[in-house]
Amino acid sequence: MAAVATAATSAPNPTAATGPGTAGPEANGRGLGPLRVTYRSDRQPGRTPLGPASNLACSSCNPPLLFTPGAYVMGGQSATPGSATLTPVFWAPPGYSFDPGYKALVEQYLSDLAAEGSTTSNVFSVADEYYQQIGTGPTAPIVYRVSAGAEVDTADAFPVSGTVNGCQPSSGYSACVADPSLQAEIVHLLAVDHLPGDDAHLYLVLFPPGVETCSAYGAAPTDSCSTNTYCAYHGGAGTVAAPDLYANLPYPNLNGCSDPFDGPQAPNGNSFADAAVSLISHEANEAITDWDGAWVDAAGYEDGDECNFVYGSPLGVTSATRDAYAAGTSYNQVINGHRYWTQDEFSNTAFSRGIGDITAPAKQTVTVAGCLQRTGPSRGEFLLVDDNTPGTNQVSNYRVNPDGTTTLIGTYPTGHPGLVASWLAGRRADAAATTDRLYALNLGDQTVSVFSVNPSTGVLNLLQTTPPLSATAIAVNPAGTVLYTGGAANEGSADRLSSYALNADGTVSPTASASVATAVDSLAVSPDGTEIASAYPGTGAYPPAVSAWAAGTLGQLTAQSSVAAPCPTDVRFASASALFSAACENGAVSSFSLSGGQLLLTGSTPASALPSSTQTLALGPNGYVYFDTSSGIRGATTAGPATGPAAFALGPAATYSGGSVSSITVSPDGSDLMVTSFGSTHVDVFSVGPLVAGAGHTLTLLQQIPVPNGLVTVTAYSPV
């Protein structure tokens, strides 16, 4: 059960979370109904709790979680342990409605959870250490396997308030739904819509604004209600064999059901929907581990309760426009490419080791042992490194471990000479499976080597090396179907921008008439694949400029516009309508808007603050820009990638002594920065600290990854 943290009407008082409004222990799962009252006493013998938790929002918690023999986890009867279909049920009779953005974000979140099943990159992976054991049978571990059920919309009338079937709403609410009425509605919907009520299905009943829910046919404050006791809970309306599992999710009260320490966070720009996502995460994880009473602590609290309102350090902030209720846009989850702010879940293993997250980054420094955001890297489990030796290129692949260290998987030769100038990992959807591709440009003969990347092991397999393509820069569209190449005559290739079809078997073939005359030093593709940006520093026949090109689905190229820029050496898209470039003459980084094919310079870092050339840049997931200068690696906050900034706020410089920077790579979750230089034999890994308003991120050298076989020029993350 997610409990109300405080009844404050303004900024919540963190200490209030230790009072009566904290999470309550759960009910006996086999009794079904709402799981939120006194838990049964048949504890597993011989297990002694290690001590009370340090979570201010669950001061009565008594971890670790204890297993009850014979109890099921979700999916343990009808499917496999951990199998959970999460179905949103939006209950809104005439006169009530949901904000379309609220429903859309809930549905997106559930789809994202389903897309990332069996990974260790989000909070649902924490439950994988738990299990069930029925009788003398073997232990069967939970495996993160979430499916998104089709949305259910019901306009059935709410019970009439004050009658035998209706509770009395509190002031400010127009309806009240008691738990018996909610259970009756669940049973009714499952019957009329022919929906399964087994232990692998959980129905998330979401209520619109103005609706209070209570545990019984009474009223607050004499009964437990969503206005005085809980934010959400889960339960069952049937039997153990057919439990009809549900979660009660009232429209969130931001004063008690969002982050009580740092204030409501809205990484998607909708404070209420973002808060609902965290409540769904809490209740779904508890239902997976404890719908039948399998895993609770000695005081009856569940995995979600142990980490109630514990979020840990943010991975970053998004550029979403805050609504009037949000205190920030922090996120701590990257799930299927989308960003969320959800509470942690509890790990017995982490608890036994004293490992955990802090309660709230801005105002609390309490570490809550056992609370984790995930069990593995947030995204990008494999780090690909150009590991070239004299005469031939090699690619080394490293596994990124949960503690940030790396383990070498293997080294794979391209069989072609010259530095790997640029590469990228692109996902291609084939008929049978999704395969990751690595495209490595060999500068010595200007060929491209195409590798497949095994998403489970990270092992590379060379599929093809193309004939010479007369290119010194490459880029791949997001769909993984088109390869773009660019070159410049002064760099030993042709002044051309061309496109090639990427086939399912890894081969590359030219597209029809998709080649235009221009000089290219750097290439980028917009996130939607419809625009190409090129940069050229003007050292040959063409002037220095950043240019935009329309890209057709088959790789067709149409010139749109160019903007003169001082020696642009690198270009990156922040969104379909905004991009950034680095300048070699004055070290400035510039931003551009792109609308209707027209580029417009919108801002630049102050040249006086960057007295050296800037060769390369990278964008974090929140639009933060990183680039190299003579004083080290720096970053700059922006006004938002959707429009491009009018000005930049520079962050502090991180000392870098590796020489001339050849590449900067940001981890997909924005938590780490990889920096390489020409001639170096290692990769420098910087951790990215929290964003400080007006001061940017602090970069701290975390480790140096030695490269055993040669020199490093570039790094990339595999998107698996």
Side-chain angles (χ1 to χ4, degrees):
M1 178 185 70
V4 174
T6 173
T9 56
S10 56
N13 174 8
T15 60
T18 64
T22 58
E26 304 296 331
N28 179 354
R30 291 188 177 273
L32 296 177
L35 306 184
R36 60 167 184 272
V37 290
T38 303
Y39 196 79
R40 61 184 171 192
S41 60
D42 52 331
R43 305 283 178 235
Q44 185 175 4
R47 299 281 303 271
T48 302
L50 298 182
S54 53
N55 184 4
L56 299 178
C58 194
S59 58
S60 298
C61 285
N62 201 351
L65 301 182
L66 309 175
F67 175 61
T68 301
Y72 293 100
V73 297
M74 272 196 74
Q77 294 183 107
S78 60
T80 57
S83 295
T85 297
L86 307 181
T87 300
V89 178
F90 297 98
W91 190 358
Y96 296 88
S97 63
F98 291 93
D99 169 12
Y102 187 90
K103 296 179 68 174
L105 187 61
V106 168
E107 291 167 355
Q108 173 188 286
Y109 177 63
L110 298 178
S111 296
D112 288 342
L113 290 176
E116 283 207 355
S118 300
T119 67
T120 60
S121 57
N122 69 64
V123 75
F124 276 71
S125 67
V126 179
D128 285 5
E129 71 178 68
Y130 302 111
Y131 57 85
Q132 71 178 31
Q133 184 178 27
I134 307 302
T136 59
T139 58
I142 288 173
V143 176
Y144 166 23
R145 192 175 288 114
V146 167
S147 300
E151 170 189 337
V152 175
D153 292 281
T154 176
D156 291 344
F158 292 136
V160 177
S161 299
T163 65
V164 67
N165 293 320
C167 46
Q168 187 65 39
S170 299
S171 175
Y173 292 83
S174 56
C176 184
V177 178
D179 187 75
S181 297
L182 172 55
Q183 291 192 39
E185 180 69 9
I186 285 292
V187 172
H188 167 71
L189 288 176
L190 268 55
V192 298
D193 291 339
H194 305 289
L195 298 171
D198 57 39
D199 70 333
H201 289 78
L202 175 66
Y203 296 90
L204 308 168
V205 184
L206 296 109
F207 291 92
V211 181
E212 182 182 21
T213 70
C214 290
S215 61
Y217 297 129
T222 56
D223 285 320
S224 296
C225 298
S226 58
T227 52
N228 66 353
T229 304
Y230 58 81
C231 298
Y233 62 80
H234 64 97
T239 65
V240 173
D244 295 348
L245 301 177
Y246 67 94
N248 179 342
L249 293 152
Y251 203 73
N253 174 0
L254 297 182
N255 286 324
C257 298
S258 63
D259 187 336
F261 302 100
D262 296 314
Q265 299 298 313
N268 296 284
N270 188 322
S271 294
F272 294 98
D274 280 304
V277 162
S278 185
L279 296 174
I280 289 172
S281 174
H282 178 124
E283 298 306 329
N285 274 283
E286 288 186 340
I288 288 170
T289 57
D290 191 49
W291 76 268
D292 190 34
W295 289 94
V296 291
D297 72 8
Y301 292 90
E302 299 178 288
D303 57 346
D305 301 326
E306 306 287 347
C307 302
N308 202 33
F309 299 117
V310 177
Y311 299 90
S313 297
L315 299 177
V317 296
T318 70
S319 59
T321 301
R322 298 185 194 177
D323 58 25
Y325 310 96
T329 61
S330 295
Y331 66 91
N332 62 4
Q333 301 281 301
V334 181
I335 307 176
N336 196 33
H338 297 121
R339 290 157 179 79
Y340 304 100
W341 183 248
T342 69
Q343 70 152 76
D344 287 9
E345 292 298 330
F346 189 80
S347 161
N348 275 351
T349 301
F351 179 74
S352 68
R353 297 173 180 173
I355 299 171
D357 281 339
I358 58 175
T359 305
K363 298 178 182 177
Q364 298 290 311
T365 57
V366 175
T367 297
V368 183
C371 292
L372 300 178
Q373 293 177 351
R374 64 192 58 81
T375 59
S378 60
R379 282 302 273 174
E381 293 186 10
F382 304 115
L383 174 65
L384 303 163
V385 178
D386 167 25
D387 182 12
N388 92 43
T389 54
T392 185
N393 285 328
Q394 297 184 111
V395 176
S396 292
N397 200 0
Y398 295 80
R399 179 178 295 278
V400 181
N401 302 316
D403 61 359
T405 60
T406 55
T407 301
L408 179 65
I409 297 171
T411 298
Y412 308 87
T414 69
H416 289 258
L419 300 176
V420 172
S422 60
W423 63 10
L424 42 148
R427 175 157 289 179
R428 179 180 178 90
D430 295 332
T434 298
T435 305
D436 289 291
R437 300 280 194 253
L438 171 68
Y439 304 90
L441 172 60
N442 306 295
L443 271 181
D445 58 9
Q446 299 184 19
T447 59
V448 174
S449 296
V450 183
F451 293 85
S452 65
V453 185
N454 186 301
S456 299
T457 65
V459 171
L460 304 183
N461 179 41
L462 181 62
L463 300 176
Q464 182 212 21
T465 296
T466 68
L469 300 181
S470 188
T472 54
I474 61 173
V476 174
N477 71 335
T481 56
V482 181
L483 169 73
Y484 297 95
T485 67
N490 67 300
E491 295 182 358
S493 61
D495 290 330
R496 304 292 292 178
L497 173 61
S498 304
S499 65
Y500 299 84
L502 297 175
N503 305 311
D505 61 359
T507 58
V508 178
S509 56
T511 57
S513 303
S515 185
V516 294
T518 187
V520 176
D521 189 67
S522 177
L523 270 180
V525 185
S526 64
D528 62 3
T530 62
E531 299 284 349
I532 307 296
S534 65
Y536 182 63
T539 53
Y542 287 84
V546 174
S547 303
W549 312 79
T553 56
L554 299 179
Q556 307 95 321
L557 295 165
T558 304
Q560 291 183 315
S561 61
S562 293
V563 174
C567 189
T569 58
D570 203 359
V571 64
R572 295 285 187 273
F573 272 97
S575 69
S577 59
L579 53 135
F580 297 87
S581 73
C584 66
E585 282 189 356
N586 58 13
V589 173
S590 299
S591 65
F592 302 82
S593 64
L594 178 59
S595 178
Q598 295 300 307
L599 280 170
L600 177 66
L601 178 66
T602 56
S604 294
T605 56
S608 60
L610 304 169
S612 67
S613 64
T614 294
Q615 297 295 325
T616 186
L617 55 80
L619 294 180
N622 58 357
Y624 198 84
V625 185
Y626 301 96
F627 48 92
D628 62 298
T629 73
S630 61
S631 58
I633 307 301
R634 297 197 72 165
T637 58
T638 71
T643 58
F648 290 79
L650 289 174
T655 301
Y656 181 72
S657 57
S660 179
V661 172
S662 59
S663 76
I664 302 174
T665 306
V666 185
S667 63
D669 63 9
S671 62
D672 295 306
L673 207 67
M674 307 287 174
V675 181
T676 65
S677 63
F678 294 103
S680 175
T681 58
H682 60 264
V683 178
D684 287 323
V685 183
F686 292 87
S687 64
V688 179
L691 181 65
V692 178
H697 293 281
T698 298
L699 303 178
T700 303
L701 183 62
L702 183 66
Q703 63 174 318
Q704 291 185 326
I705 302 173
V707 178
N709 299 317
L711 305 179
V712 182
T713 56
V714 69
T715 60
Y717 275 95
S718 173
V720 296

